[in-house]
Amino acid sequence: HYPLRKMETLLEIREYAFPRVGDMSVDLRVGEIKNLRKHSDQAIVLANANLFETSWYMRGFEQAFEDMLLQPDLIHFIMETVTTFFTDYFYEILKRCRGEIDMVFTADDIGHQDGLLLSLEMWEEFIKPYHVRINEMIHNMGAKVIYHTDGAVSEAVSGLMDMGIDVLQALQFSAANMDPQHLKDMFGKGLCFEGGMCVQKVLPFGTIEEVREECRRLISILGKNG
């Protein structure tokens, strides 16, 4: 069920009752974080701001891409509304837990097995600016940004760095043009990598020793120089 799917005008969508920060359990989240920090020195990650995915969950996957071409004002309004919600919600938590949250998990799958789901030009127009906005807030509040996308996204990595991510996850090296050594050589000085274990072949079908060997290989490449 996509709650905004059948709406045809911006006016209809403007009248929809979107969630508000006051609807969320901010006090509960803050209490959990403070309790975790009191008893552990492990990294605490606040999750998760998937801006475009949340938008198309409400509109429908195919419809969201049609909107980019046929009703750009409509998809921009949904993206703006979703981004404002996540930015305000996470700001409240980061403000009350300043210095206690290490990273904020952000996400938007923009790739499939063989390439990007949309052109770089469309990504620059409809998705990137909203992540730039929330990433700036996260950094201003003293936390790092971890960003998740599946798929073949090598051509977008420089743009992802430009929008302010610190960590790229999950690294689907079984997708096209996603060689770990190339990514490390090209972007390793300004970007941390997390993940990369193959969930299509190695983990489900490999032997224990093959899993260990792949893990060692990826650590030796992606973990080099810290």
Side-chain angles (χ1 to χ4, degrees):
H1 171 64
Y2 307 112
L4 307 182
R5 177 63 184 269
K6 295 183 179 180
M7 297 183 182
E8 297 181 354
T9 66
L10 183 56
L11 180 62
E12 289 179 281
I13 291 178
R14 285 181 181 274
E15 293 177 348
Y16 180 79
F18 285 90
R20 300 166 300 175
V21 174
D23 300 329
M24 307 301 290
S25 302
V26 174
D27 290 342
L28 178 62
R29 293 286 86 80
V30 169
E32 290 175 334
I33 292 162
K34 290 186 176 296
N35 185 60
L36 283 170
R37 179 54 70 218
K38 188 185 299 181
H39 296 99
S40 173
D41 62 354
Q42 294 181 336
I44 293 178
V45 183
L46 181 63
N48 61 301
N50 49 343
L51 307 179
F52 177 58
E53 288 177 352
T54 299
S55 297
W56 77 249
Y57 293 162
M58 302 188 71
R59 188 71 172 141
F61 187 68
E62 182 178 357
Q63 187 61 55
F65 283 101
E66 287 187 17
D67 290 340
M68 291 181 183
L69 296 173
L70 303 176
Q71 302 187 81
D73 289 348
L74 193 151
I75 194 66
H76 271 302
F77 175 80
I78 298 173
M79 286 289 293
E80 171 67 27
T81 303
V82 168
T83 301
T84 296
F85 169 79
F86 276 114
T87 302
D88 292 348
Y89 175 48
F90 283 171
Y91 173 78
E92 284 300 313
I93 297 174
L94 288 163
K95 179 178 67 174
R96 293 172 59 181
C97 299
R98 192 142 196 170
E100 297 176 300
I101 296 172
D102 300 283
M103 290 187 288
V104 176
F105 190 97
T106 67
D108 269 330
D109 283 339
I110 58 171
H112 56 78
Q113 193 71 22
D114 299 310
L116 298 178
L117 293 173
L118 69 174
S119 69
L120 278 176
E121 291 76 16
M122 291 179 73
W123 175 77
E124 290 267 357
E125 178 180 351
F126 291 102
I127 299 177
K128 180 182 177 181
Y130 300 100
H131 280 276
V132 168
R133 176 178 153 196
I134 196 168
N135 291 345
E136 183 177 353
M137 182 277 294
I138 293 167
H139 286 145
N140 287 340
M141 298 304 291
K144 301 290 188 182
V145 176
I146 181 170
Y147 176 86
H148 165 89
T149 178
D150 292 324
V153 297
S154 59
E155 62 181 306
V157 174
S158 60
L160 294 172
M161 293 175 67
D162 184 57
M163 78 181 191
I165 71 170
D166 302 293
V167 183
L168 179 60
Q169 194 255 22
L171 303 169
Q172 188 181 336
F173 296 133
S174 56
N177 302 314
M178 288 290 288
D179 177 67
Q181 188 65 64
H182 172 73
L183 290 173
K184 178 68 173 181
D185 292 343
M186 289 292 295
F187 308 110
K189 289 185 178 180
L191 192 62
C192 178
F193 300 104
E194 193 240 336
M197 284 295 291
C198 178
V199 298
Q200 292 177 312
K201 297 178 181 179
V202 179
L203 282 179
F205 303 115
T207 65
I208 292 175
E209 189 50 43
E210 285 172 336
V211 172
R212 286 176 174 155
E213 184 61 31
E214 178 67 358
C215 188
R216 294 188 188 103
R217 184 180 78 89
L218 293 176
I219 289 173
S220 69
I221 295 171
L222 300 173
K224 188 176 181 180
N225 298 322

